[in-house]
Amino acid sequence: MIHKDAIMTTLYFDSRESHKQSCEVRIDGNEIVIDYRYAGDPKTYTYRGVAQAPGHWVLDNAGVQNGSATLHRLAPDAVYLNGYWKEGRDQGMWRIELR
């Protein structure tokens, strides 16, 4: 299933404010792909992962130093994915609303 108009809310564990941005989410069987861009940056960032259990993914972002994340979907029809992310020395939580 493809969610082209998903909304990603990113929270930081430091003093930075949270922010929202659009993203695309593709879920195909056990695989999940999250694509997003930062405002003013033409590069697309991609997290890819495989389910460790139904609705529980571990993801990597090869385009970012130490890019890794988790996402959890508590029910097959849930509209929110929640998890943890780390990119280099930055880390925080994220929530993706599927649309």
Side-chain angles (χ1 to χ4, degrees):
M1 178 165 280
I2 298 175
H3 303 273
K4 292 187 178 232
D5 298 316
I7 300 295
M8 179 170 65
T9 303
T10 304
L11 306 170
Y12 297 90
F13 285 164
D14 58 20
S15 61
R16 286 179 280 180
E17 292 187 21
S18 65
H19 68 272
K20 291 185 179 189
Q21 65 191 71
S22 62
C23 67
E24 180 177 292
V25 178
R26 296 186 304 278
I27 302 173
D28 186 12
N30 288 335
E31 295 183 47
I32 189 168
V33 177
I34 314 294
D35 288 325
Y36 63 96
R37 290 184 177 160
Y38 291 111
D41 184 351
K43 181 178 177 181
T44 298
Y45 295 88
T46 302
Y47 273 94
R48 295 179 185 277
V50 176
Q52 305 300 298
H56 301 277
W57 295 273
V58 173
L59 302 92
D60 290 311
N61 185 336
V64 178
Q65 181 184 12
N66 297 324
S68 62
T70 61
L71 279 171
H72 307 280
R73 190 177 195 183
L74 299 180
D77 60 346
V79 296
Y80 290 104
L81 304 173
N82 297 290
Y84 166 83
W85 61 268
K86 181 176 183 179
E87 295 180 354
R89 293 183 179 186
D90 296 327
Q91 57 184 324
M93 305 296 290
W94 59 343
R95 170 177 260 194
I96 298 174
E97 180 181 357
L98 303 175
R99 294 181 173 190

